[in-house]
Amino acid sequence: AAAVVAAIAGGATAVQYRNKLADEAMRLRQARLLAQLCHARGVPLIVNDAVEIALASGAAGVHLGRDDPDPAEARRRLGSDAIIGVSCYDDFARAERLASQADYLAFGSLFGSSVKPNAVRAPLQLLAQGAQRGWNVVGIGGVDAGNAAQAISAGADALAVITAVFGEPGREPARIEAAAAALSKAIAEA
């Protein structure tokens, strides 16, 4: 919770809850806490992969990958105001199929990622193609303050970041806030 508050203080405009290791009860408790913290700060919380947890926690929406529920089903369950994001990896045809069902489409890994070191690399050109179609495009994977401008210049509307802001587990909130501020500055100057 302190890490998320610090990231928001540093300029994060949305937060995604992602925990692949905890059981469902723990994930729901954590998502509820983060939804309250984010809501109080005017920042949407997006739950990764889990429509049920997004619904039960009061999160603003859900982010879905290739093996997750269908975006149309997520929209039906979460409602018209929910934020539905979809990972498209390096697959522009997937983006074309799902663009009408999603509020944003994420492409990546744009750069080498320590979180998903074996992730397929997506060329920056996909961001430009998505932007040309008028889609809300998110760049993900290995993004940091040093390369954020490349993704924004290529057409990303937003960037999804883990390591560059949160670092290793236990990073002090002051360092998280500073990292988020550096990233926000890099984006603003792009």
Side-chain angles (χ1 to χ4, degrees):
V4 168
V5 169
I8 294 169
T13 58
V15 173
Q16 183 183 109
Y17 172 66
R18 181 178 191 270
N19 186 343
K20 302 274 190 178
L21 303 176
D23 64 37
E24 189 167 341
M26 174 62 80
R27 290 171 48 217
L28 180 56
R29 284 193 303 274
Q30 290 174 338
R32 283 181 172 153
L33 172 62
L34 294 179
Q36 291 172 354
L37 291 172
C38 289
H39 182 75
R41 289 159 179 80
V43 170
L45 177 72
I46 309 298
V47 174
N48 189 61
D49 298 339
V51 173
E52 293 301 320
I53 290 178
L55 186 63
S57 68
V62 66
H63 182 87
L64 302 170
R66 187 176 288 131
D67 300 322
D68 296 326
D70 178 67
E73 175 63 15
R75 175 73 64 207
R76 187 187 69 71
R77 298 287 322 282
L78 296 174
S80 60
D81 292 337
I83 299 169
I84 307 292
V86 175
S87 288
C88 297
Y89 314 97
D90 67 339
D91 186 349
F92 199 76
R94 177 179 168 78
E96 289 178 312
R97 281 192 316 277
L98 298 175
S100 66
Q101 301 171 32
D103 295 294
Y104 69 86
L105 303 165
F107 291 98
S109 184
L110 297 180
F111 309 101
S113 170
S114 62
V115 174
K116 292 186 178 181
N118 298 321
V120 65
R121 293 291 288 271
L124 291 172
Q125 173 188 357
L126 292 177
L127 301 174
Q129 289 177 281
Q132 288 170 351
R133 297 276 180 101
W135 301 337
N136 293 315
V137 179
V138 174
I140 188 168
V143 177
D144 60 29
N147 60 27
Q150 291 176 52
I152 295 296
S153 295
D157 297 295
L159 301 172
V161 179
I162 299 174
T163 305
V165 171
F166 293 101
E168 296 300 316
R171 184 180 241 183
E172 303 84 17
R175 290 187 62 208
I176 292 169
E177 183 176 344
L183 188 63
S184 294
K185 181 179 179 193
I187 291 168
E189 292 174 352

